[in-house]
Every structure is written in C-alpha cells, then in structure tokens.
Amino acid sequence: AILLDSIRELPPYVFVMIGLYAGLRREEILGLKWDCVFLDEKTPYISVRRAWHVEGGEPVVNTLLKTPAAKRDVPIPKCLVACLKEAREKSESEYVISNSKGTVLTEAQFVRVWKYITVRSTAERCYYTYVNGQSIKHRIKPRLGEHQPNNPKLVYTMDFKVTPHMLRHTYITNLIYKGVDPKTVQYLAGHENSKTTMDIYAKVKYNKPEKLSSVVNAAFGLR
C-alpha cells in the first residue's frame, strides 16, 4: 500500500500493479501487449504468451518464454482490471508498458522508470563532489517523511527496498497465505518445477513455530 501510494500516477505504477496482482515476471510484463489482456470477459485475465529480452543491446519481444510452464492464463482481481482499463484508454501503443514513442522499453529506459521508486526510499546512497580535481565521496541517509533537498515535491516515503522480483514474490506469498493449494500456485506463477513452488510454500506456510507447536505436541501425544 505504501509503495502504490508513493508512485500513484507515476510511470512505474502499472508495472507494479501487474507484478503485485498478476505475479508476472519482469520480462513478461515488459513484453505484454494489449491483445493478451482480456478485461471485458466475464472472468478478466492476462494471457502470458510473450517475453521481453535484450539481444545485442536492443530490446526484443517474442514468444520465447522462460519455460513451457510460463505460458499461462492468469485471472486478475478487480483492482488490476480497473487500473488496466484506465491505462488502456490512455494508451496509443500495442504494449501495456511502453516508452514515449509507444515502443517497447530498452533496458536503460526501464532503469529510469524504476528510479521513480528508488529515489523515494530511505536507503543510504552516495554522491560525489570534485574539489581541486579530486573526487570526494559523500554518504547520505534520508529520513522517512523528509523532502528531497533539490526537489521539494519528492518525499522519502519508503523505508524498505523494492525490486521487480519482490512484486512477483509478494503475489505468490499472498496466494499461499490465503490457502491456495500448491499446484494452483505453481500454475499461476508459471513455475516449471514444483520444487520451486514448494520451497516458497514451505517457507511461508510452515515457518511459524507458534502455529506449529500444537501440531508437534499432538504428534507426540503431548498437550
């Protein structure tokens, strides 16, 4: 919620919404075209059929997915449907996420888009000044709620780190917390190997001693 409030109406917002509420990989989001987004169906969904790659330094979108299991149809919740409908109305591109020319993002362009998130975090950062030809390194640690000195409109609102993969991991974790069975989680996440799903599932579901105590005691006939 803090992340979404921090970047609402900014360039990475739609990307983050897709990651959080559909669990797509970064390359799947950047390769997503509107012809694979079905918002007007009785059950709205995203069809994962393409992925973004970098070849020879240039972005390429094709049907080469990470694994065969990555090809999947992911039903999407109402909040993401509303977000995508609004984005579709404004879009003049075949891509859901595009640059100002309506074409697919380059790696450098994606880095710039993601910077809208990183500059709002309180993570320690460095900058350099040059005095008499010598480079002097400075470290700063922003405080939550402070305004960026050179940009008063920018507020440090996040005291946590965010990466594209963390959005997907959050999606998977939330499915597990809500009791979705492992095979369904595996399909929705596009995991080829069930071990990948089960490793996450076990870590999330069972790494809670306070909830497992009664199970363990019961197994040994104890109360």
Side-chain angles (χ1 to χ4, degrees), residues 58-117:
E58 296 297 323
V60 174
V61 174
N62 55 35
T63 57
L64 182 62
L65 300 176
K66 185 174 182 179
T67 66
K71 184 178 179 181
R72 63 200 189 278
D73 295 330
V74 182
I76 56 177
K78 293 179 180 179
C79 60
L80 181 53
V81 172
C83 171
L84 290 174
K85 281 186 175 180
E86 183 177 345
R88 186 175 62 181
E89 289 177 2
K90 298 176 181 178
S91 178
E92 296 181 357
S93 171
E94 63 178 329
Y95 291 97
V96 176
I97 307 293
S98 66
N99 58 29
S100 59
K101 296 180 180 180
T103 59
V104 64
L105 293 184
T106 65
E107 178 72 37
Q109 287 171 338
F110 177 77
V111 170
R112 287 198 292 272
V113 167
W114 197 257
K115 196 171 181 180
Y116 280 92
I117 295 174

Side-chain angles (χ1 to χ4, degrees), residues 7 10 34 48 56 68 76 80 94 111 116 127 167 173 180 222:
I7 61 169
L10 292 176
W34 288 113
V48 181
I76 56 177
L80 181 53
E94 63 178 329
V111 170
Y116 280 92
Y127 70 96
L167 306 177
T173 301
V180 179
L222 303 173

